[in-house]
Amino acid sequence: QVQLVESGGGLVQAGASLRLSCVASEGTFSNYIMAWFRQAPGKEREFVAVVSRSGSMTSYAESVKGRFTISRDKVKSMVFMQMNSLKFEDTAVYYCAAGDSYTMDLIRYDFWGQGTQVTVSS
C-alpha cells in the first residue's frame, strides 16, 4: 500500500510562509494524482490543492488561490505545498492524499497521510 507522511507544519504569525512536504513510500508514486486537504477544528475536511501525474496541471481552492502552490518531485516521490501570506483561517491539520482522479472530491482519494498541524496566529 502507498504510505504518505506529511511534515513541515508549525506555528507562525499571519503573513508568514511555510512549506509542507509529503513523502510517499510507494514506487508507483508517479501514477497517482496528489492533493492536499485540510481540516480545522469542528469543520469538515476540505480540498486545498491538487496536482496532476506529470505535475503540469494544478488546481486550488478559491480560499488559497494565489497564496499556495502545489508541486511534486517524481524522483524523490514527494509532493509539496508552498504556503505564503498565511492567515489565521489557514489554521488546520493538513493532509496529503493520493488517488486516481484529478478531482477536489476527497472521497475519490484512496491513500492519506496522518497530517501535519499548521497554526497561524493573528
Side-chain angles (χ1 to χ4, degrees):
Q1 297 186 27
V2 176
Q3 294 179 312
L4 305 173
V5 180
E6 305 95 335
S7 62
L11 172 63
V12 298
Q13 294 183 330
S17 297
L18 283 173
R19 190 193 192 208
L20 304 184
S21 299
C22 176
V23 61
S25 62
E26 172 59 48
T28 59
F29 169 79
S30 62
N31 293 333
Y32 291 99
I33 303 296
M34 298 297 299
W36 287 95
F37 291 80
R38 67 186 181 185
Q39 187 166 23
K43 296 185 178 181
E44 296 183 348
R45 192 169 298 186
E46 65 177 359
F47 168 80
V48 178
V50 59
V51 61
S52 64
R53 293 178 175 88
S54 67
S56 63
M57 296 178 62
T58 58
S59 298
Y60 301 90
E62 187 66 28
S63 60
V64 306
K65 191 175 300 181
R67 299 188 298 119
F68 291 9
T69 303
I70 187 172
S71 62
R72 66 191 300 162
D73 186 329
K74 292 183 177 181
V75 175
K76 297 181 179 180
S77 297
M78 296 184 71
V79 60
F80 307 95
M81 189 160 68
Q82 178 67 40
M83 306 188 296
N84 297 327
S85 301
L86 284 163
K87 305 175 180 179
F88 174 75
E89 300 81 63
D90 296 317
T91 296
V93 176
Y94 284 72
Y95 300 88
C96 65
D100 197 42
S101 300
Y102 189 85
T103 177
M104 63 180 69
D105 187 357
L106 60 83
I107 199 170
R108 303 292 295 277
Y109 290 87
D110 301 309
F111 305 100
W112 296 82
Q114 296 188 34
T116 184
Q117 177 71 49
V118 172
T119 303
V120 184
S121 62
S122 61

